[in-house]
Amino acid sequence: MGDESKRPNEHLSKRYQEDGMLGRRITLGMAALAAMCVSAPASAQFFFKPVDLSGPPVTGAEPGMIAQAMPGATPAEYRAALVWSLRAALNVAALQCKFEPTLLADDNYVAARKDHEEEFNKAYDTLEKYFLKTTKTKKAAQNALDVFSTRVYSSFSTVSGQLSFCQTTASIGQDVVFAPRGTVGDVAMKRMRELRESLKAWGEQHFRTRRVNFVWPVLRPLPQFGNDKCWRNGEYQARKCGSLS
């Protein structure tokens, strides 16, 4: 009798152990899922599979990499232009990508300016000397530099590809934040082509559908049904009212 009275308690104890194991499994599963979500890259914000925009490094002399041509520029001056262009892109992203806070666009820009202020200032000074070299007066050089800066900022218009631009600048911003001081130019040379490509209209790459071009049929003009002069014995008179072919 005593042994039988212990059996319900044994069953309950075993049940509690099973429930405890199940609870721990659920907790561990939720923790793993949360970790996956937290560690997910910025590229997963908008698309299951974003377009691959990576390309070879640039020097700055390639068409389209800088907002305007720089005749006679040295490699150091091209590098400065790339650094200043990258800074402008991060600034534009900080303003236009706030709709998705997890991209950290504003934080990246603030941190980049703080950590790499010396290199940004050096790039600006190099550009200033370039325009002094290519213009006749100091005032003309300053005007040319102002025009250049305006064109650089305008070149990062995100009308067509805001999502891809914001994704790309988020990734590049992280590279800049964690780059050693004095190496922003290396990041700019490595990823400027990708940054420029991100301004184009891109979409989901995982669920790509086959594009079908529909050709509208050639519509022939209709006969003038309400004009009695165009009809004789039920037949259309092309000579009087024009051909229908």
Side-chain angles (χ1 to χ4, degrees):
M1 182 72 178
D3 293 339
E4 293 179 355
S5 63
K6 294 180 180 178
R7 289 178 182 176
N9 293 332
E10 292 177 356
H11 290 312
L12 289 174
S13 177
K14 186 176 181 181
R15 179 64 179 273
Y16 289 148
Q17 292 177 359
E18 292 176 350
D19 290 345
M21 292 176 63
L22 179 60
R24 285 193 293 272
R25 290 173 182 171
I26 293 175
T27 302
L28 290 173
M30 293 178 66
L33 180 60
M36 290 174 62
C37 293
V38 171
S39 62
S43 62
Q45 294 294 331
F46 308 119
F47 307 113
F48 284 98
K49 182 182 179 182
V51 63
D52 182 9
L53 301 175
S54 59
V58 301
T59 64
E62 298 84 354
M65 293 301 106
I66 299 176
Q68 70 177 48
M70 295 179 62
T74 64
E77 290 165 343
Y78 275 127
R79 181 184 176 94
L82 289 173
V83 169
W84 197 251
S85 296
L86 184 57
R87 179 188 181 278
L90 295 179
N91 193 357
V92 173
L95 298 172
Q96 297 197 9
C97 302
K98 290 183 178 181
F99 65 91
E100 180 48 80
T102 60
L103 293 177
L104 304 177
D106 190 57
D107 293 340
N108 286 340
Y109 176 63
V110 172
R113 285 195 59 182
K114 181 179 179 180
D115 293 343
H116 302 286
E117 181 179 9
E118 183 178 350
E119 187 170 359
F120 289 137
N121 290 339
K122 182 180 178 181
Y124 185 87
D125 292 340
T126 301
L127 290 171
E128 190 174 38
K129 292 176 181 177
Y130 167 79
F131 287 109
L132 277 171
K133 180 179 66 175
T134 56
T135 56
K136 295 181 179 181
T137 65
K138 188 174 181 179
K139 182 178 180 180
Q142 186 59 53
N143 290 337
L145 180 57
D146 291 342
V147 170
F148 173 80
S149 295
T150 301
R151 288 176 177 173
V152 168
Y153 272 85
S154 299
S155 70
F156 291 110
S157 172
T158 60
V159 174
S160 298
Q162 185 179 27
L163 297 184
S164 55
F165 172 78
C166 289
Q167 283 185 346
T168 303
T169 51
S171 174
I172 295 175
Q174 288 290 294
D175 284 356
V176 172
V177 169
F178 291 103
R181 290 179 179 175
T183 63
V184 174
D186 297 335
V187 177
M189 295 173 73
K190 181 181 179 181
R191 304 198 64 180
M192 185 56 66
R193 190 185 302 274
E194 178 183 358
L195 181 57
R196 290 296 183 185
E197 285 294 314
S198 73
L199 295 168
K200 300 177 183 178
W202 300 102
E204 177 61 60
Q205 302 298 302
H206 186 70
F207 303 105
R208 299 185 67 179
T209 57
R210 183 178 179 183
R211 180 177 293 179
V212 178
N213 293 324
F214 180 78
V215 179
W216 289 95
V218 178
L219 299 178
R220 296 181 178 180
L222 295 175
Q224 302 179 36
F225 294 105
N227 191 346
D228 294 336
K229 295 180 179 180
C230 297
W231 301 88
R232 183 178 179 182
N233 298 327
E235 293 185 4
Y236 180 73
Q237 303 297 306
R239 290 185 179 180
K240 291 184 178 181
C241 299
S243 175
L244 300 180
S245 60

